[in-house]
């Protein structure tokens, strides 16, 4: 519990207004009239690793960063919209479009500017113009501040049978055609377009050709991939370079409970390539939240980790467990995209920005993970 945790750490005075935790070991270091304009990068900006590319306002931790090599400025925490328009998640039963609008508005008010979607999110609502892309496009078109929208394309050949396309997806042209439909749904070109995952029927070169064509046609500002392994990402980046475009992001599963993409070298490789790591499932399906222990009563290891995270949140001014989990990812240089379907959830996620875990706290958490075998 917290009492046993206290036996393994001491509280020392830091330069900030809150105490710092000292680790037991050394720390480690378009619809007409509705188009939005993305932030324009400065050509003179120095190149720095994703984890360092932030802009802090005076007296506060940075809440923005650059999205890999794209030059786009985004919030350090984004928002995932996988359940928007999807009845299997509770759309039109537990929550409706009006609730998602409030979710979006709360996120923007909280400083979140990056929103992740995909052509298949809520695809059954395409014909009713209530899929994730439709909803996000509608909300963004009326937003008080410009936002960055990233979408993804499915690579499975028979996807068109699901999303009411005309023929099987074979070749880069079919993927670009799918993006054109995404652009229609969003109401403007997207800011980031990514390959949802690699698939055997598409060689990496074909997928990158699609990214190149999409860029040339002005359908997207930046390009990326998702669920690519380290080696696949490196190959994709090399192909993009030969084509004269830059791979800007790789969306992968990453959280305190799933560090495989850090341990296998993907995170460090992405940093070297100037590819932003966009982290989905950052809260491990709800395990890394205040209700995580109650929903997993037999998981003693999880309970022990959550108690430490709760304590770390307390010494950071009363931050929640989920905010600690998201801030840990930000400190790792990743861009977490937790999902939200209520304004309360959006505000909670936004609260992971504007402050930062210190090196000692990062070490404590990783020390605990290693002790628990994660």
């Amino acid at each position: 519990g917290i009492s046993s945790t206290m036996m393994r750490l001491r509280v020392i005075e830091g330069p900030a207004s809150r105490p710092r935790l000292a680790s037991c070991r050394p720390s480690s270091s378009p619809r007409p009239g509705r188009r939005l304009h993305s932030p324009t990068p400065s050509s003179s900006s120095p190149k720095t690793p994703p984890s360092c590319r932030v802009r802090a306002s005076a007296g506060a931790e940075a809440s923005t960063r650059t999205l890999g090599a794209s030059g786009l400025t985004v919030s350090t925490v984004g928002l995932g919209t996988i359940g928007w328009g999807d009845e299997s998640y509770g759309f039109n039963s537990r929550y409706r479009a009006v609730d998602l609008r409030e979710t979006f508005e709360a996120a923007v008010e909280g400083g979140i500017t990056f929103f992740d979607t995909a052509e298949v999110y809520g695809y059954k609502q395409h014909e009713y113009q209530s899929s994730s892309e439709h909803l996000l496009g509608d909300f963004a078109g009326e937003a008080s501040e410009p936002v960055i929208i990233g979408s993804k394309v499915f690579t499975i050949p028979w996807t068109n049978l699901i999303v009411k396309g005309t023929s099987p997806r074979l070749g880069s042209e079919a993927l670009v055609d799918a993006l054109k439909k995404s652009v229609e749904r969003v109401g403007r070109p997207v800011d980031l377009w990514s390959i949802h995952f690699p698939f055997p029927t598409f060689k990496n070169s074909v997928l990158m050709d699609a990214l190149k064509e999409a860029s040339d046609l002005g359908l997207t500002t930046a390009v990326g991939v998702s669920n690519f392994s380290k080696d696949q990402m490196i190959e994709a980046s090399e192909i993009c370079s030969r084509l004269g475009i830059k791979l800007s992001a790789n969306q992968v599963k990453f959280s305190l409970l799933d560090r495989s993409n850090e341990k296998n070298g993907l995170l460090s490789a992405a940093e070297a390539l100037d590819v932003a790591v966009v982290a989905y499932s950052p809260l491990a399906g709800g395990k890394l939240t205040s209700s995580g222990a109650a929903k997993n009563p037999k998981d003693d290891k999880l309970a022990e980790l959550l108690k430490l995270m709760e304590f770390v949140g307390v010494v950071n001014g009363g931050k929640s467990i989920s905010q600690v989990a998201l801030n840990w990812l930000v400190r790792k240089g990743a861009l977490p995209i937790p999902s939200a379907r209520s304004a309360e959830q959006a505000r909670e996620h936004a609260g992971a920005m504007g402050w930062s875990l210190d090196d000692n706290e990062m070490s404590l958490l990783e020390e605990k993970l290693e002790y628990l075998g994660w």
Side-chain angles (χ1 to χ4, degrees):
I2 291 180
S3 58
S4 62
T5 300
M6 289 294 292
M7 296 292 290
R8 302 183 60 246
L9 52 88
R10 55 191 170 86
V11 177
I12 62 176
E13 286 298 317
S17 59
R18 65 177 176 85
R20 285 192 296 119
L21 300 183
S23 173
C24 303
R25 62 179 172 84
S27 61
S28 58
S29 311
R31 294 189 187 121
R34 293 217 14 219
R35 180 173 178 130
L36 300 178
H37 299 284
S38 303
T40 302
S42 170
S43 59
S44 60
S45 299
K47 294 232 178 194
T48 51
S51 57
C52 300
R53 259 181 280 113
V54 292
R55 298 175 179 83
S57 56
E61 294 293 335
S63 293
T64 58
R65 55 165 291 162
T66 303
L67 186 67
S70 71
L72 294 172
T73 298
V74 297
S75 50
T76 54
V77 173
L79 200 72
T81 63
I82 190 171
W84 291 22
D86 193 330
E87 293 184 341
S88 68
Y89 280 81
F91 181 67
N92 280 337
S93 57
R94 297 199 305 273
Y95 58 92
R96 301 180 183 278
V98 64
D99 301 306
L100 297 179
R101 180 181 295 277
E102 292 173 356
T103 301
F104 176 87
E105 291 172 350
V108 173
E109 288 172 6
I112 292 176
T113 62
F114 179 73
F115 293 83
D116 174 77
T117 184
E119 61 167 337
V120 294
Y121 292 174
Y123 69 90
K124 292 182 179 180
Q125 296 294 322
H126 280 337
E127 60 183 309
Y128 307 112
Q129 297 190 357
S130 294
S131 67
S132 175
E133 288 182 325
H134 280 112
L135 293 170
L136 187 53
D138 286 343
F139 304 158
E142 300 170 3
S144 58
E145 300 289 340
V147 299
I148 304 299
I149 295 177
S151 192
K152 301 180 291 293
V153 62
F154 242 44
T155 49
I156 298 177
W158 51 89
T159 302
N160 279 356
L161 299 177
I162 299 174
V163 298
K164 301 187 185 303
T166 55
S167 59
R169 291 187 179 175
L170 300 172
S172 60
E173 184 179 352
L175 299 179
V176 175
D177 285 343
L179 172 57
K180 291 176 180 177
K181 289 183 170 54
S182 286
V183 167
E184 290 176 5
R185 288 188 287 266
V186 173
R188 66 169 175 89
V190 298
D191 301 292
L192 172 68
W193 186 51
S194 300
I195 304 300
H196 210 138
F197 48 81
F199 197 75
T201 55
F202 288 96
K203 292 182 178 180
N204 241 352
S205 58
V206 175
L207 297 176
M208 299 310 109
D209 282 342
L211 297 183
K212 166 67 171 173
E213 185 176 353
S215 270
D216 289 346
L217 292 174
L219 299 172
T220 184
T221 301
V223 297
V225 294
S226 180
N227 295 301
F228 273 46
S229 68
K230 180 183 75 171
D231 291 341
Q232 289 169 330
M233 176 186 67
I234 292 172
E235 181 189 15
S237 180
E238 291 172 346
I239 296 172
C240 283
S241 293
R242 292 198 296 270
L243 292 173
I245 58 175
K246 296 178 180 179
L247 189 71
S248 296
N250 185 9
Q251 186 177 139
V252 296
K253 193 174 185 180
F254 187 22
S255 73
L256 272 161
L257 296 184
D258 188 344
R259 297 185 293 159
S260 58
N261 282 308
E262 179 183 19
K263 294 178 178 179
N264 64 23
L266 183 145
L267 194 64
S268 58
E271 183 173 321
L273 294 169
D274 203 6
V275 172
V277 172
V278 180
Y280 72 80
S281 296
L283 301 178
K287 288 183 178 181
L288 297 173
T289 66
S290 58
S291 61
K295 291 180 179 179
N296 301 272
K298 296 182 180 180
D299 195 334
D300 295 335
K301 292 201 304 181
L302 176 63
E304 188 171 344
L305 173 63
L306 294 181
K307 286 178 180 177
L308 174 58
M309 294 175 69
E310 181 180 16
F311 181 78
V312 170
V314 168
V315 299
N316 276 278
K319 300 300 179 183
S320 67
I321 289 172
S322 64
Q323 289 167 346
V324 170
L326 295 176
N327 197 272
W328 180 86
L329 286 166
V330 172
R331 279 296 316 272
K332 286 289 181 178
L335 170 56
I337 50 168
S339 63
R341 293 183 284 279
S342 72
E344 181 182 3
Q345 287 179 325
R347 284 190 285 267
E348 174 84 3
H349 299 336
M353 301 187 295
W355 62 283
S356 182
L357 295 169
D358 64 27
D359 289 344
N360 292 306
E361 292 159 351
M362 291 292 289
S363 292
L364 277 169
L365 290 169
E366 290 177 35
E367 199 174 43
K368 175 63 76 174
L369 291 170
E370 291 167 8
Y371 172 76
L372 294 173
W374 272 315

